[in-house]
Amino acid sequence: MKRLTLLATASVLALGLAAPASAQDLAPVTIQIDGAAVPYYLPLFVADHYGYFAEEGLDVDFLYANAADILTNVAVGNVQFGFPNGDAVIAARANDLPVKIIHTTYQNGIGAVLFKTESGIETPADLAGKTVAVTSYGSPNYIQLQVMMAQEGLSINDVNVEIVGTGAIVEALSSDQVDAIVFSMLRYYNLQADGIDVGMIRSDDYLPSKGNVLVTSESFLENSSAEVAGFIAALNKGIEHIVEGDVRTEVDMAVAEYTPTFAGQEEIVTEIISEVFVETLWQSEDTEAHELGYGNLESWQTTIDTAVEYEVIPEGFEAGDLVVESPSSIQ
C-alpha cells in the first residue's frame, strides 16, 4: 500500500505555480552517488528531470564513486553532497571525517540472506554447517551474518564462510557453489525473474541498518544551509512524485535519460521499486509519524554500537553527532 506523510498536496499544487529560476540564478552543486548510474536512485533523477532542484535554486550535477571516496570528497569540499551507504558513513565518522547525515533516505538496509528454497533453510539457525558466501570479512553483510547467528545462540564459527567477489556472488548461489549468500535483497527479485526459486531472510530483522543516505560536510551545512534545505526539499518532492504517481512511467524516463544500460529491464526494476523502495525503504513507521528522511537516533545508535562490538570501528560515538534527526529542522 502506498502511503505518504508529508503535506504532499500543497507541494503538488505548487508545482505548476512556481516560476522556474533562470539558469544563471541557480547555485551549482554536485552529488556523488554510491556505485554507478542505476534506476534505483530514481528520486534524484525525478527531482532533476521535473525541475524540482531548479525550483529550489539548484543546478545539480551527478557523479559516481565508491562510498569511501564519496565521503572523503564530501569532507574536504570537493563535492557538496554524497549518497553513500549508511555503514560507510559510520566508519567515516569514526575516523573523524566531518560529515553529517542530513536525510536518512533509506529507512532500512537492503542486506539479506538469499538461498534456494530447496535447501531447507528457513531461519539463520539453519545456516549451521552450510557454506555461506559474503563479499569480504569487512563487509556489513558479514557483520549481519554474525549478529544473526549470535541471536540464534550460535556463532560465525558454525558457518562455513566463503569469500566471493561482488560480480560472482549471485552466480555462486545460482550454480550451487554455496548454500546461501548474504548480499543485497534486490537480487532476490532478479533470481526469481530468472526462474530460480529463492527464499530470503532480511538482515534488518536482526540488526537495524540503513541503506543509502544523503550526506554533506559540517562546514557546508553550517555555511550553506539554504542550499542543503533546498536539496532535501527537492529530494522529498522526487519521492512524493513517485509514490503518488506511476512508478513504471518514471522508471521508463530514468532508463531512457539517466541509466540506459538498464534498457530492457524496466519491468523488473518497476517491481523492485514498487515492492521494496516505495513500501519499505523510502517510507517507514518513522516517516509516517514524522517526515521523509527522518533519522531515528535510537536505531542509528544500535548500528553504531554493533559496529564497535564487532570491531568494525575503533570506538563509538553518539548518533546525534552524525545524524540530523529531522531534516526539516535545517533552514
PDB file of all heavy atoms in Angstrom, residues 255-287:
ATOM      1  N   VAL A 255      15.456   5.283 -17.181  1.00  0.00           N
ATOM      2  CA  VAL A 255      16.266   4.400 -18.017  1.00  0.00           C
ATOM      3  C   VAL A 255      16.634   5.102 -19.320  1.00  0.00           C
ATOM      4  O   VAL A 255      17.781   5.041 -19.777  1.00  0.00           O
ATOM      5  CB  VAL A 255      15.517   3.080 -18.296  1.00  0.00           C
ATOM      6  CG1 VAL A 255      16.243   2.266 -19.369  1.00  0.00           C
ATOM      7  CG2 VAL A 255      15.389   2.265 -17.012  1.00  0.00           C
ATOM      8  N   ALA A 256      15.687   5.791 -19.901  1.00  0.00           N
ATOM      9  CA  ALA A 256      15.941   6.474 -21.174  1.00  0.00           C
ATOM     10  C   ALA A 256      16.930   7.622 -21.032  1.00  0.00           C
ATOM     11  O   ALA A 256      17.791   7.820 -21.894  1.00  0.00           O
ATOM     12  CB  ALA A 256      14.627   6.988 -21.754  1.00  0.00           C
ATOM     13  N   GLU A 257      16.860   8.359 -19.923  1.00  0.00           N
ATOM     14  CA  GLU A 257      17.630   9.588 -19.807  1.00  0.00           C
ATOM     15  C   GLU A 257      18.855   9.498 -18.900  1.00  0.00           C
ATOM     16  O   GLU A 257      19.803  10.272 -19.068  1.00  0.00           O
ATOM     17  CB  GLU A 257      16.729  10.722 -19.310  1.00  0.00           C
ATOM     18  CG  GLU A 257      15.581  11.043 -20.258  1.00  0.00           C
ATOM     19  CD  GLU A 257      14.795  12.263 -19.817  1.00  0.00           C
ATOM     20  OE1 GLU A 257      15.321  13.055 -19.004  1.00  0.00           O
ATOM     21  OE2 GLU A 257      13.649  12.423 -20.279  1.00  0.00           O
ATOM     22  N   TYR A 258      18.837   8.582 -17.932  1.00  0.00           N
ATOM     23  CA  TYR A 258      19.907   8.567 -16.937  1.00  0.00           C
ATOM     24  C   TYR A 258      20.639   7.229 -16.838  1.00  0.00           C
ATOM     25  O   TYR A 258      21.812   7.215 -16.490  1.00  0.00           O
ATOM     26  CB  TYR A 258      19.348   8.923 -15.546  1.00  0.00           C
ATOM     27  CG  TYR A 258      18.760  10.304 -15.446  1.00  0.00           C
ATOM     28  CD1 TYR A 258      17.417  10.533 -15.746  1.00  0.00           C
ATOM     29  CD2 TYR A 258      19.537  11.388 -15.050  1.00  0.00           C
ATOM     30  CE1 TYR A 258      16.866  11.810 -15.650  1.00  0.00           C
ATOM     31  CE2 TYR A 258      19.003  12.663 -14.944  1.00  0.00           C
ATOM     32  CZ  TYR A 258      17.660  12.872 -15.257  1.00  0.00           C
ATOM     33  OH  TYR A 258      17.131  14.125 -15.153  1.00  0.00           O
ATOM     34  N   THR A 259      19.967   6.132 -17.097  1.00  0.00           N
ATOM     35  CA  THR A 259      20.573   4.806 -16.893  1.00  0.00           C
ATOM     36  C   THR A 259      20.308   3.898 -18.097  1.00  0.00           C
ATOM     37  O   THR A 259      19.651   2.856 -17.959  1.00  0.00           O
ATOM     38  CB  THR A 259      20.025   4.161 -15.603  1.00  0.00           C
ATOM     39  OG1 THR A 259      18.615   3.929 -15.754  1.00  0.00           O
ATOM     40  CG2 THR A 259      20.261   5.051 -14.397  1.00  0.00           C
ATOM     41  N   PRO A 260      20.819   4.257 -19.258  1.00  0.00           N
ATOM     42  CA  PRO A 260      20.484   3.499 -20.482  1.00  0.00           C
ATOM     43  C   PRO A 260      20.945   2.054 -20.470  1.00  0.00           C
ATOM     44  O   PRO A 260      20.414   1.239 -21.231  1.00  0.00           O
ATOM     45  CB  PRO A 260      21.183   4.297 -21.584  1.00  0.00           C
ATOM     46  CG  PRO A 260      22.253   5.082 -20.886  1.00  0.00           C
ATOM     47  CD  PRO A 260      21.695   5.401 -19.541  1.00  0.00           C
ATOM     48  N   THR A 261      21.893   1.696 -19.632  1.00  0.00           N
ATOM     49  CA  THR A 261      22.349   0.302 -19.598  1.00  0.00           C
ATOM     50  C   THR A 261      21.271  -0.632 -19.048  1.00  0.00           C
ATOM     51  O   THR A 261      21.408  -1.851 -19.153  1.00  0.00           O
ATOM     52  CB  THR A 261      23.624   0.152 -18.745  1.00  0.00           C
ATOM     53  OG1 THR A 261      23.362   0.592 -17.409  1.00  0.00           O
ATOM     54  CG2 THR A 261      24.774   0.964 -19.339  1.00  0.00           C
ATOM     55  N   PHE A 262      20.209  -0.078 -18.474  1.00  0.00           N
ATOM     56  CA  PHE A 262      19.117  -0.893 -17.953  1.00  0.00           C
ATOM     57  C   PHE A 262      17.969  -1.046 -18.949  1.00  0.00           C
ATOM     58  O   PHE A 262      16.901  -1.552 -18.592  1.00  0.00           O
ATOM     59  CB  PHE A 262      18.597  -0.306 -16.635  1.00  0.00           C
ATOM     60  CG  PHE A 262      19.410  -0.701 -15.439  1.00  0.00           C
ATOM     61  CD1 PHE A 262      20.647  -0.115 -15.194  1.00  0.00           C
ATOM     62  CD2 PHE A 262      18.967  -1.677 -14.557  1.00  0.00           C
ATOM     63  CE1 PHE A 262      21.413  -0.482 -14.093  1.00  0.00           C
ATOM     64  CE2 PHE A 262      19.723  -2.059 -13.464  1.00  0.00           C
ATOM     65  CZ  PHE A 262      20.956  -1.465 -13.229  1.00  0.00           C
ATOM     66  N   ALA A 263      18.184  -0.630 -20.175  1.00  0.00           N
ATOM     67  CA  ALA A 263      17.148  -0.799 -21.195  1.00  0.00           C
ATOM     68  C   ALA A 263      16.786  -2.276 -21.317  1.00  0.00           C
ATOM     69  O   ALA A 263      17.666  -3.141 -21.380  1.00  0.00           O
ATOM     70  CB  ALA A 263      17.635  -0.259 -22.534  1.00  0.00           C
ATOM     71  N   GLY A 264      15.504  -2.566 -21.325  1.00  0.00           N
ATOM     72  CA  GLY A 264      15.023  -3.935 -21.377  1.00  0.00           C
ATOM     73  C   GLY A 264      14.728  -4.527 -20.013  1.00  0.00           C
ATOM     74  O   GLY A 264      14.135  -5.606 -19.915  1.00  0.00           O
ATOM     75  N   GLN A 265      15.138  -3.830 -18.950  1.00  0.00           N
ATOM     76  CA  GLN A 265      14.900  -4.332 -17.587  1.00  0.00           C
ATOM     77  C   GLN A 265      13.845  -3.507 -16.849  1.00  0.00           C
ATOM     78  O   GLN A 265      13.707  -3.616 -15.626  1.00  0.00           O
ATOM     79  CB  GLN A 265      16.207  -4.313 -16.791  1.00  0.00           C
ATOM     80  CG  GLN A 265      17.327  -5.138 -17.405  1.00  0.00           C
ATOM     81  CD  GLN A 265      18.607  -5.074 -16.596  1.00  0.00           C
ATOM     82  OE1 GLN A 265      18.616  -5.333 -15.396  1.00  0.00           O
ATOM     83  NE2 GLN A 265      19.704  -4.715 -17.253  1.00  0.00           N
ATOM     84  N   GLU A 266      13.111  -2.712 -17.575  1.00  0.00           N
ATOM     85  CA  GLU A 266      12.161  -1.796 -16.944  1.00  0.00           C
ATOM     86  C   GLU A 266      11.122  -2.520 -16.080  1.00  0.00           C
ATOM     87  O   GLU A 266      10.741  -2.031 -15.008  1.00  0.00           O
ATOM     88  CB  GLU A 266      11.457  -0.944 -17.999  1.00  0.00           C
ATOM     89  CG  GLU A 266      12.341   0.091 -18.675  1.00  0.00           C
ATOM     90  CD  GLU A 266      13.104  -0.457 -19.877  1.00  0.00           C
ATOM     91  OE1 GLU A 266      13.063  -1.704 -20.102  1.00  0.00           O
ATOM     92  OE2 GLU A 266      13.732   0.321 -20.594  1.00  0.00           O
ATOM     93  N   GLU A 267      10.672  -3.682 -16.518  1.00  0.00           N
ATOM     94  CA  GLU A 267       9.619  -4.386 -15.777  1.00  0.00           C
ATOM     95  C   GLU A 267      10.105  -4.847 -14.408  1.00  0.00           C
ATOM     96  O   GLU A 267       9.436  -4.620 -13.387  1.00  0.00           O
ATOM     97  CB  GLU A 267       9.119  -5.581 -16.582  1.00  0.00           C
ATOM     98  CG  GLU A 267       7.964  -6.325 -15.915  1.00  0.00           C
ATOM     99  CD  GLU A 267       7.391  -7.439 -16.783  1.00  0.00           C
ATOM    100  OE1 GLU A 267       7.770  -7.538 -17.967  1.00  0.00           O
ATOM    101  OE2 GLU A 267       6.557  -8.204 -16.256  1.00  0.00           O
ATOM    102  N   ILE A 268      11.270  -5.477 -14.342  1.00  0.00           N
ATOM    103  CA  ILE A 268      11.778  -5.967 -13.065  1.00  0.00           C
ATOM    104  C   ILE A 268      12.176  -4.806 -12.158  1.00  0.00           C
ATOM    105  O   ILE A 268      11.973  -4.848 -10.940  1.00  0.00           O
ATOM    106  CB  ILE A 268      12.963  -6.946 -13.263  1.00  0.00           C
ATOM    107  CG1 ILE A 268      13.381  -7.549 -11.919  1.00  0.00           C
ATOM    108  CG2 ILE A 268      14.137  -6.283 -13.941  1.00  0.00           C
ATOM    109  CD1 ILE A 268      12.350  -8.415 -11.264  1.00  0.00           C
ATOM    110  N   VAL A 269      12.721  -3.728 -12.741  1.00  0.00           N
ATOM    111  CA  VAL A 269      13.074  -2.551 -11.949  1.00  0.00           C
ATOM    112  C   VAL A 269      11.824  -1.935 -11.338  1.00  0.00           C
ATOM    113  O   VAL A 269      11.809  -1.543 -10.158  1.00  0.00           O
ATOM    114  CB  VAL A 269      13.831  -1.524 -12.810  1.00  0.00           C
ATOM    115  CG1 VAL A 269      13.963  -0.194 -12.066  1.00  0.00           C
ATOM    116  CG2 VAL A 269      15.210  -2.038 -13.188  1.00  0.00           C
ATOM    117  N   THR A 270      10.750  -1.864 -12.119  1.00  0.00           N
ATOM    118  CA  THR A 270       9.491  -1.319 -11.608  1.00  0.00           C
ATOM    119  C   THR A 270       8.971  -2.160 -10.447  1.00  0.00           C
ATOM    120  O   THR A 270       8.503  -1.624  -9.428  1.00  0.00           O
ATOM    121  CB  THR A 270       8.437  -1.267 -12.727  1.00  0.00           C
ATOM    122  OG1 THR A 270       8.902  -0.401 -13.770  1.00  0.00           O
ATOM    123  CG2 THR A 270       7.102  -0.746 -12.201  1.00  0.00           C
ATOM    124  N   GLU A 271       9.061  -3.470 -10.567  1.00  0.00           N
ATOM    125  CA  GLU A 271       8.625  -4.351  -9.486  1.00  0.00           C
ATOM    126  C   GLU A 271       9.439  -4.104  -8.220  1.00  0.00           C
ATOM    127  O   GLU A 271       8.889  -4.005  -7.116  1.00  0.00           O
ATOM    128  CB  GLU A 271       8.749  -5.819  -9.909  1.00  0.00           C
ATOM    129  CG  GLU A 271       8.335  -6.797  -8.821  1.00  0.00           C
ATOM    130  CD  GLU A 271       8.580  -8.250  -9.212  1.00  0.00           C
ATOM    131  OE1 GLU A 271       9.063  -8.512 -10.333  1.00  0.00           O
ATOM    132  OE2 GLU A 271       8.305  -9.143  -8.374  1.00  0.00           O
ATOM    133  N   ILE A 272      10.750  -4.014  -8.380  1.00  0.00           N
ATOM    134  CA  ILE A 272      11.623  -3.812  -7.213  1.00  0.00           C
ATOM    135  C   ILE A 272      11.346  -2.473  -6.546  1.00  0.00           C
ATOM    136  O   ILE A 272      11.233  -2.380  -5.311  1.00  0.00           O
ATOM    137  CB  ILE A 272      13.098  -3.923  -7.631  1.00  0.00           C
ATOM    138  CG1 ILE A 272      13.427  -5.373  -8.013  1.00  0.00           C
ATOM    139  CG2 ILE A 272      14.013  -3.440  -6.510  1.00  0.00           C
ATOM    140  CD1 ILE A 272      14.785  -5.554  -8.637  1.00  0.00           C
ATOM    141  N   ILE A 273      11.228  -1.419  -7.341  1.00  0.00           N
ATOM    142  CA  ILE A 273      10.982  -0.102  -6.753  1.00  0.00           C
ATOM    143  C   ILE A 273       9.624  -0.061  -6.069  1.00  0.00           C
ATOM    144  O   ILE A 273       9.488   0.474  -4.960  1.00  0.00           O
ATOM    145  CB  ILE A 273      11.109   0.991  -7.828  1.00  0.00           C
ATOM    146  CG1 ILE A 273      12.588   1.146  -8.230  1.00  0.00           C
ATOM    147  CG2 ILE A 273      10.550   2.324  -7.327  1.00  0.00           C
ATOM    148  CD1 ILE A 273      12.844   2.143  -9.332  1.00  0.00           C
ATOM    149  N   SER A 274       8.616  -0.661  -6.691  1.00  0.00           N
ATOM    150  CA  SER A 274       7.273  -0.650  -6.111  1.00  0.00           C
ATOM    151  C   SER A 274       7.207  -1.442  -4.809  1.00  0.00           C
ATOM    152  O   SER A 274       6.619  -0.995  -3.814  1.00  0.00           O
ATOM    153  CB  SER A 274       6.263  -1.226  -7.111  1.00  0.00           C
ATOM    154  OG  SER A 274       6.215  -0.453  -8.293  1.00  0.00           O
ATOM    155  N   GLU A 275       7.810  -2.629  -4.794  1.00  0.00           N
ATOM    156  CA  GLU A 275       7.675  -3.525  -3.644  1.00  0.00           C
ATOM    157  C   GLU A 275       8.687  -3.259  -2.533  1.00  0.00           C
ATOM    158  O   GLU A 275       8.403  -3.536  -1.365  1.00  0.00           O
ATOM    159  CB  GLU A 275       7.789  -4.975  -4.113  1.00  0.00           C
ATOM    160  CG  GLU A 275       6.654  -5.416  -5.019  1.00  0.00           C
ATOM    161  CD  GLU A 275       6.653  -6.905  -5.280  1.00  0.00           C
ATOM    162  OE1 GLU A 275       7.354  -7.647  -4.561  1.00  0.00           O
ATOM    163  OE2 GLU A 275       5.957  -7.336  -6.217  1.00  0.00           O
ATOM    164  N   VAL A 276       9.866  -2.748  -2.913  1.00  0.00           N
ATOM    165  CA  VAL A 276      10.913  -2.566  -1.907  1.00  0.00           C
ATOM    166  C   VAL A 276      11.080  -1.095  -1.536  1.00  0.00           C
ATOM    167  O   VAL A 276      10.933  -0.709  -0.370  1.00  0.00           O
ATOM    168  CB  VAL A 276      12.256  -3.146  -2.399  1.00  0.00           C
ATOM    169  CG1 VAL A 276      13.346  -2.933  -1.348  1.00  0.00           C
ATOM    170  CG2 VAL A 276      12.110  -4.622  -2.721  1.00  0.00           C
ATOM    171  N   PHE A 277      11.362  -0.265  -2.511  1.00  0.00           N
ATOM    172  CA  PHE A 277      11.686   1.125  -2.210  1.00  0.00           C
ATOM    173  C   PHE A 277      10.468   1.906  -1.721  1.00  0.00           C
ATOM    174  O   PHE A 277      10.546   2.610  -0.713  1.00  0.00           O
ATOM    175  CB  PHE A 277      12.315   1.788  -3.432  1.00  0.00           C
ATOM    176  CG  PHE A 277      13.714   1.328  -3.707  1.00  0.00           C
ATOM    177  CD1 PHE A 277      13.947   0.148  -4.395  1.00  0.00           C
ATOM    178  CD2 PHE A 277      14.807   2.046  -3.257  1.00  0.00           C
ATOM    179  CE1 PHE A 277      15.236  -0.305  -4.635  1.00  0.00           C
ATOM    180  CE2 PHE A 277      16.102   1.616  -3.499  1.00  0.00           C
ATOM    181  CZ  PHE A 277      16.320   0.440  -4.177  1.00  0.00           C
ATOM    182  N   VAL A 278       9.361   1.792  -2.429  1.00  0.00           N
ATOM    183  CA  VAL A 278       8.165   2.529  -2.030  1.00  0.00           C
ATOM    184  C   VAL A 278       7.631   2.019  -0.700  1.00  0.00           C
ATOM    185  O   VAL A 278       7.254   2.797   0.186  1.00  0.00           O
ATOM    186  CB  VAL A 278       7.082   2.433  -3.122  1.00  0.00           C
ATOM    187  CG1 VAL A 278       5.746   2.970  -2.609  1.00  0.00           C
ATOM    188  CG2 VAL A 278       7.512   3.204  -4.370  1.00  0.00           C
ATOM    189  N   GLU A 279       7.612   0.711  -0.532  1.00  0.00           N
ATOM    190  CA  GLU A 279       6.959   0.135   0.635  1.00  0.00           C
ATOM    191  C   GLU A 279       7.821   0.098   1.893  1.00  0.00           C
ATOM    192  O   GLU A 279       7.299   0.244   3.000  1.00  0.00           O
ATOM    193  CB  GLU A 279       6.481  -1.290   0.307  1.00  0.00           C
ATOM    194  CG  GLU A 279       5.397  -1.346  -0.751  1.00  0.00           C
ATOM    195  CD  GLU A 279       4.101  -0.690  -0.305  1.00  0.00           C
ATOM    196  OE1 GLU A 279       3.842  -0.640   0.909  1.00  0.00           O
ATOM    197  OE2 GLU A 279       3.354  -0.225  -1.179  1.00  0.00           O
ATOM    198  N   THR A 280       9.133  -0.113   1.748  1.00  0.00           N
ATOM    199  CA  THR A 280       9.937  -0.361   2.955  1.00  0.00           C
ATOM    200  C   THR A 280      11.196   0.483   3.097  1.00  0.00           C
ATOM    201  O   THR A 280      11.755   0.540   4.197  1.00  0.00           O
ATOM    202  CB  THR A 280      10.362  -1.848   3.030  1.00  0.00           C
ATOM    203  OG1 THR A 280      11.275  -2.140   1.966  1.00  0.00           O
ATOM    204  CG2 THR A 280       9.164  -2.770   2.922  1.00  0.00           C
ATOM    205  N   LEU A 281      11.680   1.093   2.037  1.00  0.00           N
ATOM    206  CA  LEU A 281      12.932   1.836   2.145  1.00  0.00           C
ATOM    207  C   LEU A 281      12.709   3.337   2.301  1.00  0.00           C
ATOM    208  O   LEU A 281      13.204   3.948   3.250  1.00  0.00           O
ATOM    209  CB  LEU A 281      13.831   1.560   0.935  1.00  0.00           C
ATOM    210  CG  LEU A 281      14.419   0.152   0.844  1.00  0.00           C
ATOM    211  CD1 LEU A 281      15.391   0.049  -0.320  1.00  0.00           C
ATOM    212  CD2 LEU A 281      15.108  -0.269   2.135  1.00  0.00           C
ATOM    213  N   TRP A 282      11.998   3.954   1.377  1.00  0.00           N
ATOM    214  CA  TRP A 282      11.779   5.394   1.478  1.00  0.00           C
ATOM    215  C   TRP A 282      10.792   5.746   2.582  1.00  0.00           C
ATOM    216  O   TRP A 282      10.795   6.857   3.101  1.00  0.00           O
ATOM    217  CB  TRP A 282      11.252   5.952   0.159  1.00  0.00           C
ATOM    218  CG  TRP A 282      12.159   5.745  -1.008  1.00  0.00           C
ATOM    219  CD1 TRP A 282      13.523   5.655  -0.995  1.00  0.00           C
ATOM    220  CD2 TRP A 282      11.769   5.602  -2.379  1.00  0.00           C
ATOM    221  NE1 TRP A 282      14.008   5.458  -2.268  1.00  0.00           N
ATOM    222  CE2 TRP A 282      12.957   5.417  -3.134  1.00  0.00           C
ATOM    223  CE3 TRP A 282      10.545   5.596  -3.039  1.00  0.00           C
ATOM    224  CZ2 TRP A 282      12.938   5.255  -4.517  1.00  0.00           C
ATOM    225  CZ3 TRP A 282      10.522   5.431  -4.415  1.00  0.00           C
ATOM    226  CH2 TRP A 282      11.715   5.267  -5.149  1.00  0.00           C
ATOM    227  N   GLN A 283       9.932   4.797   2.955  1.00  0.00           N
ATOM    228  CA  GLN A 283       8.895   5.052   3.943  1.00  0.00           C
ATOM    229  C   GLN A 283       8.958   4.005   5.053  1.00  0.00           C
ATOM    230  O   GLN A 283       9.372   2.875   4.831  1.00  0.00           O
ATOM    231  CB  GLN A 283       7.514   5.018   3.284  1.00  0.00           C
ATOM    232  CG  GLN A 283       7.374   6.041   2.167  1.00  0.00           C
ATOM    233  CD  GLN A 283       5.992   5.990   1.540  1.00  0.00           C
ATOM    234  OE1 GLN A 283       5.160   6.861   1.798  1.00  0.00           O
ATOM    235  NE2 GLN A 283       5.747   4.993   0.725  1.00  0.00           N
ATOM    236  N   SER A 284       8.535   4.419   6.233  1.00  0.00           N
ATOM    237  CA  SER A 284       8.564   3.534   7.399  1.00  0.00           C
ATOM    238  C   SER A 284       7.590   4.068   8.433  1.00  0.00           C
ATOM    239  O   SER A 284       6.944   5.106   8.228  1.00  0.00           O
ATOM    240  CB  SER A 284       9.977   3.496   7.991  1.00  0.00           C
ATOM    241  OG  SER A 284      10.300   4.766   8.563  1.00  0.00           O
ATOM    242  N   GLU A 285       7.501   3.384   9.552  1.00  0.00           N
ATOM    243  CA  GLU A 285       6.681   3.895  10.651  1.00  0.00           C
ATOM    244  C   GLU A 285       7.209   5.249  11.120  1.00  0.00           C
ATOM    245  O   GLU A 285       6.439   6.130  11.518  1.00  0.00           O
ATOM    246  CB  GLU A 285       6.668   2.903  11.809  1.00  0.00           C
ATOM    247  CG  GLU A 285       5.902   1.619  11.517  1.00  0.00           C
ATOM    248  CD  GLU A 285       5.872   0.672  12.703  1.00  0.00           C
ATOM    249  OE1 GLU A 285       6.479   1.017  13.744  1.00  0.00           O
ATOM    250  OE2 GLU A 285       5.244  -0.399  12.596  1.00  0.00           O
ATOM    251  N   ASP A 286       8.532   5.422  11.060  1.00  0.00           N
ATOM    252  CA  ASP A 286       9.117   6.700  11.475  1.00  0.00           C
ATOM    253  C   ASP A 286       8.743   7.828  10.529  1.00  0.00           C
ATOM    254  O   ASP A 286       8.425   8.943  10.964  1.00  0.00           O
ATOM    255  CB  ASP A 286      10.643   6.587  11.557  1.00  0.00           C
ATOM    256  CG  ASP A 286      11.107   5.867  12.812  1.00  0.00           C
ATOM    257  OD1 ASP A 286      10.373   5.921  13.820  1.00  0.00           O
ATOM    258  OD2 ASP A 286      12.180   5.264  12.788  1.00  0.00           O
ATOM    259  N   THR A 287       8.781   7.571   9.229  1.00  0.00           N
ATOM    260  CA  THR A 287       8.407   8.645   8.291  1.00  0.00           C
ATOM    261  C   THR A 287       6.918   8.933   8.381  1.00  0.00           C
ATOM    262  O   THR A 287       6.479  10.064   8.175  1.00  0.00           O
ATOM    263  CB  THR A 287       8.781   8.291   6.842  1.00  0.00           C
ATOM    264  OG1 THR A 287       8.033   7.154   6.397  1.00  0.00           O
ATOM    265  CG2 THR A 287      10.270   7.998   6.719  1.00  0.00           C
TER     266      THR A 287
END
